[in-house]
Amino acid sequence: MLTQILYTSRSTYPRGNLTDLEILRTAMRSNENDGITGALLRDHRRFFQILEGEQETVLSLVRRIQQDRRHFDMSILVQRSIQDRTFGEWSMGYGEIDVGTIGALESINLARTDALDMILATVLPFVETPAL
Ligand SMILES: Cc1cc2nc3c(=O)[nH]c(=O)nc-3n(C[C@H](O)[C@H](O)[C@H](O)COP(=O)(O)O)c2cc1C
């Protein structure tokens, strides 16, 4: 069964750092092997990452990412079963989002059943394929 997970975490380093590229290089290679797709969004201090794939694979990746010292305070916001992927084209898309967008994301009530759809609609325009 396909699962989609959104988590947020706090970055240990600011936006514009090459460390993002290192993470993306690893992610793109490893996710392609594992059938995982998604996107990594960030502002100056926070990450938002969406991961899609087979439930067991996604959960084991989440456990691995949780150990990563390049971020902390990881918290899963939404997890749901899906029929179709939103990020089928991206082994890991990337985007920088601004404070206004973060504010819009934070104002979405996560208890709503369509919360993740609203979040995805908000961030999708920012996602691009990283040029590595
Ligand atoms: C914010 C963030 C997002 C990450 N996303 C992924 C990802 O999508 N896929 C991936 O394989 N690793 C990702 N990583 C890197 C993993 O934490 C880990 O370093 C990498 O998978 C290598 O794991 P290993 O050293 O156990 O082989 C991410 C790390 C951070 C900090």
Side-chain angles (χ1 to χ4, degrees):
M1 184 195 293
L2 281 177
T3 294
Q4 194 174 49
I5 281 185
L6 167 75
Y7 75 79
T8 182
S9 64
R10 290 173 62 197
S11 177
T12 53
Y13 58 90
R15 179 167 59 186
N17 191 299
L18 282 176
T19 306
D20 277 2
L21 285 184
E22 285 168 26
I23 291 174
L24 288 167
R25 277 200 195 99
T26 313
M28 290 171 82
R29 191 176 46 232
S30 159
N31 294 356
E32 197 157 325
N33 278 337
D34 293 344
I36 287 180
T37 50
L40 180 65
L41 286 310
R42 72 163 301 146
D43 73 343
H44 63 290
R45 65 192 171 98
R46 289 176 74 172
F47 288 117
F48 287 82
Q49 189 174 30
I50 300 123
L51 297 167
E52 307 169 328
E54 287 300 323
Q55 181 166 312
E56 275 176 36
T57 321
V58 171
L59 292 178
S60 95
L61 174 59
V62 165
R63 282 191 291 272
R64 210 162 78 217
I65 293 176
Q66 204 149 20
Q67 311 295 322
D68 198 308
R69 287 164 176 260
R70 292 171 287 193
H71 69 163
F72 59 103
D73 272 0
M74 185 169 160
S75 121
I76 293 178
L77 300 179
V78 192
Q79 176 176 4
R80 67 173 179 181
S81 299
I82 48 165
Q83 298 283 349
D84 301 306
R85 295 173 189 254
T86 308
F87 297 94
E89 305 287 313
W90 286 287
S91 57
M92 191 45 59
Y94 178 73
E96 292 192 353
I97 45 183
D98 52 30
V99 172
T101 308
I102 293 279
L105 289 177
E106 282 174 342
S107 71
I108 293 170
N109 176 0
L110 293 175
R112 293 178 58 136
T113 49
D114 60 351
L116 193 43
D117 290 322
M118 294 173 70
I119 290 168
L120 294 176
T122 308
V123 302
L124 263 173
F126 294 92
V127 179
E128 53 195 11
T129 303
L132 296 183

